[in-house]
């Protein structure tokens, strides 16, 4: 099995058949109901769609398969809208940042224009099926902030390590989405696991503390610190 999931067994299970029937009901949502969907809903739906696509189509195994899988092969109808995995991640949850997502004339932009501001912690909640992705959890509208905080702590704690040569090794998420993490006023203290690891090491410094607090060590500032430095070889 891939990632511990027996996709063949799941494909023919009654539980999966029930899930597919439930997912089809999303197409029956009306305009108003779609606009009431929250970031928590879209996080949960993204993770469900990845699983659905992996069961039916098998998980992509190379770059061209991944591009097709996320851009157009795995799509759900949400009332009058059709959304791919990329649409949900970049258009809805990332608010069409860095040129990805919905264009200015795309009527699907209304799915997020009235939503709260972009929260980079969504990267610690989305599971794309890769081994290094965060585990799948259920998120709720009522408690999303605390749930994203917990997901951030868990992901950073498991995917961050400080090597003996004073090198911090981070998840490739911080390389792929560097611009999303430049202002950590939106993340709060989600980097505490990193700072706790650094404080317990023998090279803690005030300069690193400032970088860690504001997050710029993730891609840029850390590379300018004498110790520690950011590893060029990020975690897969």
């Amino acid at each position: 099995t891939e990632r511990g999931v027996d996709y063949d067994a799941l494909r023919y299970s009654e539980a999966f058949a029930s899930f597919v029937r439930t997912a089809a009901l999303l197409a029956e949502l009306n305009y108003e109901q779609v606009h009431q969907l929250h970031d928590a809903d879209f996080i949960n739906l993204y993770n469900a769609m990845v699983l659905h696509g992996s069961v039916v189509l098998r998980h992509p195994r190379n770059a061209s398969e991944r591009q097709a899988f996320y851009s157009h092969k795995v799509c759900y109808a949400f009332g009058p809208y059709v959304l791919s995995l990329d649409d949900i991640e970049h258009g809805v949850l990332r608010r069409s940042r860095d040129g990805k997502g919905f264009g200015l004339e795309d009527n699907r932009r209304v799915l997020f224009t009235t939503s709260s501001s972009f929260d980079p912690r969504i990267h610690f909640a989305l599971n794309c099926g890769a081994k290094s992705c965060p585990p799948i959890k259920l998120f709720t509208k009522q408690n999303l902030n605390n749930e994203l905080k917990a997901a951030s702590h868990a992901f950073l704690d498991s995917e961050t390590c400080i090597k003996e040569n004073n090198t911090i090794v981070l998840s490739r998420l911080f390389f792929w989405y560097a611009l999303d993490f430049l202002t950590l006023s939106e993340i709060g203290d989600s980097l505490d696991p990193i700072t706790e690891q650094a404080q317990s090491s023998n090279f803690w410094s005030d300069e690193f503390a400032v970088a860690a607090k504001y997050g710029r060590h993730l891609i840029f500032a850390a590379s300018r610190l004498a110790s520690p430095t950011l590893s060029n070889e990020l975690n897969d």
Side-chain angles (χ1 to χ4, degrees):
T1 62
E2 299 178 42
R3 289 182 51 80
V5 179
D6 189 339
Y7 290 115
D8 287 333
L10 189 57
R11 182 180 296 113
Y12 301 109
S13 68
E14 177 53 38
F16 183 69
S18 176
F19 162 74
V20 171
R21 290 192 293 270
T22 301
L25 297 177
L26 291 168
E28 299 178 11
L29 296 177
N30 60 39
Y31 183 90
E32 183 176 345
Q33 289 171 322
V34 174
H35 286 261
Q36 289 175 350
L37 292 174
H38 187 265
D39 277 358
D41 299 315
F42 282 112
I43 292 172
N44 294 332
L45 287 163
Y46 178 95
N47 291 337
M49 287 170 64
V50 170
L51 180 62
H52 191 169
S54 297
V55 170
V56 175
L57 303 173
R58 80 182 172 92
H59 198 70
R61 299 181 181 181
N62 55 54
S64 61
E65 287 186 2
R66 282 193 293 274
Q67 196 277 334
F69 187 90
Y70 294 103
S71 67
H72 64 270
K73 277 199 169 183
V74 180
C75 299
Y76 272 11
F78 295 85
Y81 305 105
V82 174
L83 299 177
S84 68
L85 288 165
D86 278 351
D87 291 333
I88 292 178
E89 179 180 6
H90 301 298
V92 179
L93 293 171
R94 294 187 65 237
R95 313 293 196 254
S96 294
R97 296 166 68 85
D98 59 31
K100 296 181 179 179
F102 307 136
L104 293 176
E105 301 302 319
D106 194 322
N107 64 357
R108 295 174 299 175
R109 286 183 70 91
V110 297
L111 288 173
F112 66 87
T113 52
T114 58
S115 302
S116 58
S117 60
F118 166 65
D119 190 332
R121 295 177 300 175
I122 59 105
H123 291 299
F124 308 130
L126 298 178
N127 184 299
C128 69
K131 291 182 179 180
S132 59
C133 279
I136 295 176
K137 298 180 179 179
L138 188 65
F139 294 86
T140 64
K141 176 180 179 179
Q142 296 77 10
N143 200 34
L144 183 60
N145 183 59
N146 288 332
E147 290 162 353
L148 286 177
K149 179 178 179 180
S152 302
H153 277 249
F155 182 79
L156 291 168
D157 192 43
S158 66
E159 295 297 322
T160 306
C161 69
I162 298 175
K163 293 186 175 181
E164 292 181 0
N165 63 352
N166 293 352
T167 298
I168 301 174
V169 182
L170 302 172
S171 165
R172 284 190 179 275
L173 277 174
F174 296 110
F175 176 73
W176 296 329
Y177 299 109
L179 295 178
D180 288 4
F181 293 101
L182 284 180
T183 55
L184 287 210
S185 59
E186 298 163 306
I187 296 183
D189 60 354
S190 66
L191 290 170
D192 279 355
I194 291 179
T195 61
E196 287 167 7
Q197 283 183 304
Q199 275 183 310
S200 65
S201 68
N202 60 7
F203 58 80
W204 177 262
S205 68
D206 289 340
E207 188 176 22
F208 177 74
V210 172
K213 180 176 177 59
Y214 293 101
R216 293 187 179 276
H217 74 292
L218 296 176
I219 296 298
F220 304 107
S223 64
R224 295 195 295 270
L225 294 177
S227 174
T229 57
L230 182 66
S231 171
N232 290 326
E233 185 178 353
L234 300 178
N235 284 331
D236 289 330

